[in-house]
Amino acid sequence: MITRLLSAALVAGFLASVVATGLQLALTSPLILQAETYEGEGAHAALAPTTDAPFAALIVPAHAPSQHAHGGGGQDHGHAHGKADEWQPAPGLQRMAFTGLATLVGGVGYALLLAAVMLALRREPTPQSGLVVGVAGFLAVALAPAIGLPPELPGMGAAPLVLRQSWWLMTVIATGLGLYLIAVRRVPLTILGGLVLIVAPHLAGAPQSVDTVASQVPPAAAAQFAARSLAIGFVFWAVIGLTYGWAWRLFGREAGARAHA
């Protein structure tokens, strides 16, 4: 069973990453390249290899303004680029390759998480049940955190990375538990508790940017990037769920055929 689970997760993660990488190269990468021109003097032109990946963009904005703060008035560049000497993938093919690799690693990881959830819920993996759990994963991992921390383009202000990651993790856990109480337990008390869990992180509030320098990124581009990132994230999770259910059945039939051979 473990071999079947791992094999199905690998197939689902690979296929989802291929689809997501193609979509992000077509839809979000051009916006990232456009936004980099607003960061000033090309000092921040190179991004971390995970910036384009939907799972990274939706977990927490991959660029970290705290790593290249502009000082009090945005003019002190003498110490603002402490990370400038760190290695970054070169633009073009190398950057595309690292983006695809990051997406692949995330896809397989999330497919394994989806498989673990279905196993814990004792749900037989099918394309239909996989899609349902995949959509729930999108709601918990991507959409709910994006309400407070929408995917951001380079050059936009943001709170320190540790605070964003902590709030994201709290929101994912609370939303996941809330969805479980609402969709699985299905009694009035648990439904109420689930709603409280889902709303609580947003009542607490996501960490806000401490950067006082106004972003030069056009608001329309930022909104378009957030919308496209969420759309890619939805497709990403839907493909994981559908293909995991399909691959589970496929490997099950193959194992049955070998057993009767």
Side-chain angles (χ1 to χ4, degrees):
M1 180 179 177
I2 297 299
T3 301
R4 184 180 176 187
L5 184 152
L6 292 175
S7 300
L10 287 173
V11 170
F14 175 77
L15 292 177
S17 67
V18 169
V19 173
T21 298
L23 289 174
Q24 62 200 20
L25 290 177
L27 299 177
T28 56
S29 292
L31 294 174
I32 292 173
L33 294 174
Q34 176 187 350
E36 287 173 354
T37 63
Y38 295 95
E39 288 191 291
E41 301 178 2
H44 311 301
L47 300 179
T50 58
T51 300
D52 295 350
F55 64 89
L58 296 174
I59 288 174
V60 69
H63 71 286
S66 60
Q67 295 177 355
H68 48 78
H70 294 284
Q75 300 298 323
D76 183 8
H77 296 287
H79 64 279
H81 312 307
K83 302 266 183 184
D85 295 333
E86 289 189 358
W87 180 88
Q88 300 284 3
L93 183 61
Q94 188 179 84
R95 179 164 166 174
M96 291 169 59
F98 273 88
T99 294
L101 178 61
T103 307
L104 175 61
V105 172
V108 173
Y110 282 139
L112 289 171
L113 178 62
L114 181 143
V117 169
M118 297 194 73
L119 185 63
L121 294 176
R122 299 181 180 179
R123 299 292 176 87
E124 176 66 21
T126 65
Q128 294 77 17
S129 62
L131 178 61
V132 170
V133 178
V135 170
F138 166 75
L139 295 175
V141 176
L143 185 60
I147 294 174
L149 293 175
E152 295 175 342
L153 285 167
M156 298 178 65
L161 184 61
V162 173
L163 294 180
R164 287 180 284 151
Q165 289 176 331
S166 300
W167 187 86
W168 173 85
L169 182 61
M170 176 183 68
T171 304
V172 170
I173 294 174
T175 305
L177 289 174
L179 292 174
Y180 169 77
L181 292 175
I182 293 171
V184 178
R185 292 301 181 181
R186 297 184 183 179
V187 298
L189 184 60
T190 60
I191 291 175
L192 177 60
L195 291 173
V196 170
L197 282 173
I198 292 173
V199 173
H202 305 286
L203 293 179
Q208 300 300 311
S209 171
V210 296
D211 192 353
T212 59
V213 180
S215 172
Q216 299 300 313
V217 178
Q224 193 174 42
F225 178 76
R228 290 183 179 184
S229 296
L230 287 171
I232 293 173
F234 178 80
V235 174
F236 181 71
W237 277 98
V239 172
I240 286 179
L242 286 169
T243 54
Y244 178 78
W246 168 79
W248 176 270
R249 285 188 166 183
L250 175 64
F251 290 122
R253 287 196 298 266
E254 291 181 352
R258 286 194 300 268
H260 290 88

